[in-house]
Amino acid sequence: MTSNQALADWVREVATLTQPEKIHWCDGSQAEYDTLVAGMLDSGTLLQLDPKTRPRSYLHRSDPSDVARTEHLTFVCTSRRDDAGPNNQWMDPADAHAKMNALFAGAMRGRTLYVVPYCMGPLDSPFARCGVEITDSAYVAASMRTMTRMGTPALKRIEREGSFVKGLHSLGDLHPERRFIMHFPQELAIQSIGSGYGGNALLGKKCHALRIASHQARQEGWLAEHMLIMGIEDPQGRLHYIAAAFPSACGKTNMAMLIPPQEYQGWKVHTIGDDIAWLHVGDDGRLWAINPEAGFFGVAPGTSRHTNANAVDMLQHDTIFTNVALTEDRRPWWEGLSDETPALDWQGRPYQPANGPAAHPNSRFTVSARQCKSWSDAAERPSGVPISAIIFGGRRASLVPLVLEARNWRHGVLLGASMASETTAAATGKTGVVRRDPMAMKPFCGYHFGDYWSHWLATGARLNKAPGIYQVNWFRRDAQGRFLWPGFGENLRVLKWILDRCQGSIGAHETPVGNLPLHGDIDLSGLDVSHDHIRQLTEIEPQAWRDEMDQVNSFLHGFGPRVPQALHDEREQVAQDLRGLGAT
Ligand code: OXD
Ligand code: MN
């Protein structure tokens, strides 16, 4: 089936171990996708939505114990424990292989083994990387076609280049005690068993494009980041691209396809990606980004005409929904979509409010990026797009202002490294707890955070036109718990400030923690935000920041001697300048 001997041998070895009934090499064609879907409709893995209002769209209900990423079951297996760092769970590669071999033995009996060749990034991009996922899940094979460049063209590239990431996945028995997601960065290999959830099972996404790629990127001198990529074009036709890191389920998809507010006639958003950016230093000294993905695996709840009309439009056809609720007439439904009452909840039970939300809070849609109205052809450019600004954002009820500009790259790396956010339903565990999530990469950095921050600093030193670095917080609340900022499309007002700063066309208020907007520089025309709210959003409280800097100090020291001294020095500088501000 392939001229690549290593691939042919590996498929044979896996088949011997897992004992599938059949082997199918995916070509990525429409006919193949249709056959996969027909099989899943037959087996009940997919339910057909109303074909009149939602053509070629399906609902998948996952096992109720398998609805989110499971960070406590996710491991990085490097020969030296310290290389994985305190930010990862570590297992010795030999122990991990022994454990996984036992779990995979006979795991595919009675099932089809799909060989899924895929390419992360435009097929003709030198920055793209290929992989092959072996899986016994038709849902995974079909979703990989939507989320990546999957099939024969990817296989051809693998045959030309030779190298590829080996991803082995089986649903196993879906038992949480026999669920593991193992990464072997030194072998460019991933093994995942016991989960059909996207983040654990679509191995091109988090496992390859972030955990394995971040490791590869460090060796090869680039960055693999948990970032959306978007272009913003002003009425004069000036187009700037930005990359923005937010933790899971904090609005990256909404921001990537933002619809400008009414007052912003003539502004246009170009969507390049909503979750992952691979960043390279160009020959011109600028930072260039590609989106390795080809689709969106987005969070459904909260998506509505008001928050993301582009998403609502793109979800009208050719979409697989996972764990959403259903209306009487078989349309997908989730909290925040409309005022309707659904008929069935995400587990297929008649909807009863006493059972909790109708749609699972981490219910998802899987859809081709080409269905999004704001999708840009630039996403197909082999060179990627040049980045003018990098944004770090978190969900913080207090402390962090609406927007803050780093003084320079090193300060920006500190802002990224000290990012914190309230946890969401994208991972199992308690939601709403503030945790540090450096660069939104806590669950995804495949190596020691200390080395990762050094790599960020080293990358900055190679840029002679480095993007500005910013921190944003759309989630500040008042004493009553109400949001101070309207968010969504109105965030363009903050992005405009950022782009004005990048072009040097406006000033800023310099403070020890970074540069803040001058009074009146965030355009509020037509917006109902009180004077007092905007003041709270663009001010810093020195004592709260002094406490924050103490906590950042302990946090950084928790990563031991691999943390670059430059990052400690930068933090010390901020802390010292804050002391100079006096007692307030
Ligand atoms: C995602 C996540 O699915 O970050 O993108 O969990
Ligand atoms: Mn994500």
Side-chain angles (χ1 to χ4, degrees):
M1 296 306 291
T2 175
S3 59
N4 182 306
Q5 199 54 46
L7 174 55
D9 291 346
W10 176 56
V11 172
R12 199 170 322 106
E13 256 168 54
V14 169
T16 306
L17 176 68
T18 59
Q19 299 283 300
E21 188 178 303
K22 276 195 287 202
I23 298 183
H24 174 82
W25 287 69
C26 290
D27 62 13
S29 63
Q30 183 66 46
E32 175 182 83
Y33 181 82
D34 294 344
T35 309
L36 288 170
V37 166
M40 288 190 277
L41 288 170
D42 267 1
S43 67
T45 303
L46 292 185
L47 300 175
Q48 178 113 42
L49 299 179
D50 175 28
K52 283 197 291 300
T53 57
R54 295 294 184 281
R56 298 170 303 282
S57 296
Y58 312 96
L59 167 63
H60 173 66
R61 292 197 185 111
S62 74
D63 187 281
S65 74
D66 184 30
V67 290
R69 281 184 293 98
T70 40
E71 292 174 15
H72 58 297
L73 302 172
T74 301
F75 292 80
V76 169
C77 310
T78 42
S79 41
R80 283 185 309 209
R81 179 182 208 128
D82 211 27
D83 290 344
N87 43 304
N88 281 300
Q89 300 214 88
W90 175 85
M91 200 180 288
D92 178 78
D95 294 347
H97 278 304
K99 190 180 213 28
M100 295 305 265
N101 281 344
L103 290 168
F104 273 107
M108 299 192 185
R109 252 182 221 126
R111 302 184 188 166
T112 300
L113 178 160
Y114 299 96
V115 183
V116 184
Y118 63 87
C119 181
M120 301 309 291
L123 276 155
D124 51 353
S125 169
F127 307 126
R129 293 285 184 278
C130 289
V132 176
E133 174 164 359
I134 292 182
T135 178
D136 57 7
S137 159
Y139 167 80
V140 167
S143 301
M144 285 293 283
R145 177 172 186 264
T146 307
M147 295 302 299
T148 71
R149 280 92 172 164
M150 184 273 254
T152 306
L155 182 60
K156 291 248 158 8
R157 180 165 167 162
I158 290 170
E159 288 171 346
R160 270 197 320 274
E161 286 183 343
S163 83
F164 63 97
V165 168
K166 288 181 185 161
L168 172 56
H169 168 255
S170 169
L171 293 171
D173 60 8
L174 289 177
H175 199 290
E177 275 167 26
R178 287 179 286 282
R179 178 176 301 159
F180 293 98
I181 299 98
M182 304 281 194
H183 302 76
F184 304 91
Q186 290 150 319
E187 300 166 37
L188 296 186
I190 306 156
Q191 295 194 354
S192 165
I193 192 160
S195 169
Y197 172 73
N200 295 333
L202 308 181
L203 301 186
K205 193 173 179 67
K206 303 301 185 180
C207 301
H208 178 164
L210 288 175
R211 297 195 193 96
I212 297 289
S214 60
H215 172 95
Q216 237 178 343
R218 178 181 172 223
Q219 290 175 330
E220 297 174 6
W222 47 285
L223 292 165
E225 297 299 325
H226 192 204
M227 290 179 176
L228 67 87
I229 310 165
M230 70 195 280
I232 301 164
E233 188 177 343
D234 70 14
Q236 287 72 46
R238 283 178 300 218
L239 174 56
H240 285 274
Y241 293 96
I242 62 172
F246 290 76
S248 308
C250 284
K252 286 203 297 301
T253 307
N254 293 339
M255 183 168 157
M257 45 191 86
L258 176 154
I259 296 183
Q262 261 177 10
E263 293 76 17
Y264 280 63
Q265 292 294 325
W267 288 73
K268 203 169 161 210
V269 162
H270 302 255
T271 306
I272 306 288
D274 79 327
D275 196 41
I276 300 178
W278 285 357
L279 304 167
H280 289 80
V281 179
D283 294 339
D284 59 358
R286 289 192 290 174
L287 193 63
W288 290 75
I290 64 162
N291 169 16
E293 299 191 281
F296 304 122
F297 177 64
V299 178
T303 308
S304 70
R305 287 241 158 259
H306 167 63
T307 61
N308 191 343
N310 278 335
V312 171
D313 287 342
M314 81 180 170
L315 300 177
Q316 298 302 305
H317 62 98
D318 296 278
T319 304
I320 297 183
F321 296 90
T322 305
N323 294 336
V324 298
L326 274 188
T327 61
E328 201 68 65
D329 54 356
R330 295 177 88 73
R331 281 175 295 115
W333 191 90
W334 49 81
E335 275 69 17
L337 177 64
S338 68
D339 292 338
E340 286 171 282
T341 304
L344 299 178
D345 73 7
W346 65 278
Q347 298 187 61
R349 302 172 299 192
Y351 171 59
Q352 285 188 1
N355 285 338
H360 187 275
N362 192 36
S363 52
R364 299 279 178 148
F365 49 79
T366 308
V367 65
S368 164
R370 288 189 302 267
Q371 289 187 200
C372 177
K373 266 199 291 217
S374 58
W375 183 247
S376 163
D377 287 349
E380 289 297 335
R381 270 186 217 153
S383 59
V385 294
I387 298 296
S388 300
I390 290 178
I391 299 176
F392 294 121
R395 195 183 272 272
R396 294 292 298 265
S398 59
L399 188 80
V400 179
L402 181 60
V403 59
L404 190 62
E405 181 186 61
R407 280 187 299 278
N408 51 39
W409 185 270
R410 184 170 97 159
H411 181 227
V413 174
L414 177 68
L415 286 183
S418 44
M419 248 171 87
S421 194
E422 295 160 25
T423 50
T424 67
T428 50
K430 207 163 170 333
T431 58
V433 182
V434 175
R435 77 165 182 181
R436 299 253 167 227
D437 189 351
M439 281 82 170
M441 284 287 278
K442 163 79 188 69
F444 308 121
C445 180
Y447 63 101
H448 195 300
F449 260 152
D451 296 337
Y452 172 72
W453 296 323
S454 296
H455 183 46
W456 261 84
L457 292 171
T459 305
R462 289 166 53 214
L463 292 163
N464 52 36
K465 290 188 204 106
I469 301 186
Y470 297 81
Q471 182 169 30
V472 299
N473 180 15
W474 317 136
F475 302 93
R476 271 294 280 271
R477 293 176 190 254
D478 67 10
Q480 284 69 46
R482 288 174 304 219
F483 287 112
L484 290 175
W485 178 249
F488 305 108
E490 308 300 346
N491 293 337
L492 184 59
R493 298 166 189 268
V494 177
L495 301 181
K496 177 178 181 303
W497 183 81
I498 289 175
L499 294 182
D500 285 345
R501 285 293 296 161
C502 289
Q503 289 168 93
S505 55
I506 53 170
H509 172 210
E510 291 178 18
T511 81
V513 302
N515 304 329
L516 290 165
L518 291 171
H519 182 75
D521 275 354
I522 300 264
D523 169 32
L524 299 175
S525 53
L527 203 61
D528 188 19
V529 175
S530 75
H531 205 68
D532 183 46
H533 281 184
I534 196 72
R535 190 185 47 74
Q536 287 183 57
L537 283 165
T538 53
E539 260 181 15
I540 58 154
E541 296 161 47
Q543 189 49 48
W545 275 95
R546 281 192 279 264
D547 296 345
E548 171 76 358
M549 282 303 123
D550 287 345
Q551 288 167 28
V552 169
N553 191 28
S554 321
F555 177 70
L556 294 180
H557 276 102
F559 290 90
R562 291 203 191 194
V563 175
Q565 187 55 39
L567 208 56
H568 288 303
D569 293 348
E570 187 66 37
R571 192 217 59 87
E572 183 46 41
Q573 183 66 55
V574 175
Q576 201 179 313
D577 293 351
L578 277 165
R579 283 195 287 274
L581 274 188
T584 44

